[in-house]
């Protein structure tokens, strides 16, 4: 069982905005500004989308954005596209001094 | 260009030992930590542990501590993940990833090594 809770699946039509939540506790998501988001296409390695809650690495589309409120972090994809269909994982530093991942969310583009 | 190239697919029997590798290039190997991540079939990502190649200091997820060993050889810019006695439950894809010390995200990932343990 993952320490961070994500919805198993979300869906959206092309052009819509979708949000994926990642709920933890004050010992991880709520306690530190170290939430990251990764995208993983089938059979591929994860790709970093967001780090430190809101920061986007160079080369990542500005359609991807991150935020946090209390113990819940969120990834928003604006104007979802067919190529965004993938699994998405959040991760957070924890007070136990290691990193926890969420269980992953499968995004389906209708 | 930063690259992390992992060793190839492995098929082993329970009880056998195994070492898989992750060779880094395109950056100073000792300036970044290497993290190892497990992904069991059809499941999510699990952080196993990390190593600082500059001094080989390691830190493990308690769930993996004692079952795997993470090491690094800075002379050849390579990190290793090792098992002394594999179990069927070790069947998974294993990824290495680069992480800057003091940060908690991995900005470059290897392509993954599939390990299958079956009698």
């Amino acid at each position: 069982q993952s320490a961070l809770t994500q919805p198993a699946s979300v869906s959206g039509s092309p052009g819509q905005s979708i949000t994926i939540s990642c709920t933890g506790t004050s010992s991880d998501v709520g306690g530190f500004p170290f939430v990251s988001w990764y995208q993983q296409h089938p059979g591929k390695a994860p790709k970093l989308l967001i780090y430190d809650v809101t920061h986007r690495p160079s080369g990542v589309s500005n359609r991807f954005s991150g935020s946090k409120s209390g113990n819940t972090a969120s990834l928003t994809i604006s104007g979802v596209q067919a190529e965004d269909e993938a699994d998405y994982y959040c991760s957070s530093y924890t007070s136990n001094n290691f990193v926890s991942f969420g269980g992953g969310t499968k995004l389906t583009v209708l | 260009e930063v690259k992390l190239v992992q060793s190839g697919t492995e098929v082993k029997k329970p009880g056998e030992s195994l070492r898989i590798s992750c060779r880094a290039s395109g950056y100073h190997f000792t300036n970044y930590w290497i993290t190892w991540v497990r992904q069991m079939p059809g499941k999510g990502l699990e952080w196993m542990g990390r190593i600082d190649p500059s001094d080989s200091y390691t830190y493990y997820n308690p769930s993996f501590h004692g079952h795997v060993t993470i090491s690094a050889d800075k002379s050849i810019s390579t990190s290793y993940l090792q098992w002394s006695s594999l179990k069927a439950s070790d069947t998974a894809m294993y990824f290495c990833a680069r992480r800057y010390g003091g940060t908690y995200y991995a900005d470059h990932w290897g392509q993954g090594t599939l390990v299958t343990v079956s009698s």
Side-chain angles (χ1 to χ4, degrees):
Chain A
Q1 187 168 352
S2 302
L4 307 180
T5 301
Q6 298 181 233
S9 63
V10 297
S11 62
S13 299
Q16 285 186 327
S17 290
I18 66 98
T19 297
I20 299 172
S21 62
C22 171
T23 301
T25 70
S26 59
S27 295
D28 39 61
V29 173
F32 307 96
F34 301 130
V35 176
S36 308
W37 290 91
Y38 300 89
Q39 176 192 61
Q40 186 181 33
H41 286 104
K44 300 293 187 181
K47 172 188 174 183
L48 179 66
L49 293 178
I50 299 288
Y51 67 94
D52 294 351
V53 181
T54 61
H55 294 83
R56 203 170 41 247
S58 60
V60 173
S61 171
N62 60 8
R63 297 186 297 106
F64 296 93
S65 62
S67 63
K68 188 180 82 165
S69 177
N71 295 335
T72 298
S74 298
L75 173 71
T76 297
I77 309 175
S78 303
V80 76
Q81 300 176 359
E83 68 207 49
D84 299 332
E85 187 162 290
D87 294 326
Y88 292 83
Y89 294 91
C90 64
S91 74
S92 176
Y93 175 72
T94 78
S95 59
N96 294 322
N97 198 28
F98 64 86
V99 171
S100 276
F101 285 99
T105 298
K106 180 177 180 59
L107 168 63
T108 299
V109 180
L110 302 172
Chain B
E1 179 190 5
V2 173
K3 285 187 177 180
L4 297 173
V5 179
Q6 297 186 231
S7 50
T9 297
E10 300 277 359
V11 179
K12 292 287 191 179
K13 290 181 166 48
E16 291 186 331
S17 62
L18 175 65
R19 188 177 78 168
I20 62 175
S21 66
C22 170
R23 187 180 79 251
S25 62
Y27 72 98
H28 291 292
F29 183 59
T30 54
N31 285 356
Y32 290 79
W33 298 350
I34 294 291
T35 289
W36 286 90
V37 174
R38 181 175 79 174
Q39 187 167 37
M40 299 177 77
K43 302 298 183 181
L45 305 173
E46 298 173 273
W47 187 86
M48 300 176 72
R50 60 88 174 165
I51 187 165
D52 179 350
S54 68
D55 60 8
S56 289
Y57 178 82
T58 54
Y59 194 89
Y60 295 93
N61 178 333
S63 298
F64 293 90
H65 194 233
H67 185 55
V68 297
T69 301
I70 297 171
S71 61
D73 185 340
K74 58 187 178 183
S75 70
I76 54 171
S77 300
T78 299
S79 178
Y80 302 97
L81 180 65
Q82 183 173 325
W83 296 260
S84 59
S85 181
L86 287 160
K87 304 176 184 178
S89 57
D90 292 318
T91 294
M93 180 73 81
Y94 293 88
F95 294 100
C96 65
R98 185 186 84 160
R99 174 185 146 190
Y100 191 69
T103 68
Y104 302 98
Y105 59 89
D107 63 352
H108 285 84
W109 292 66
Q111 83 277 18
T113 295
L114 179 62
V115 174
T116 301
V117 184
S118 174
S119 54

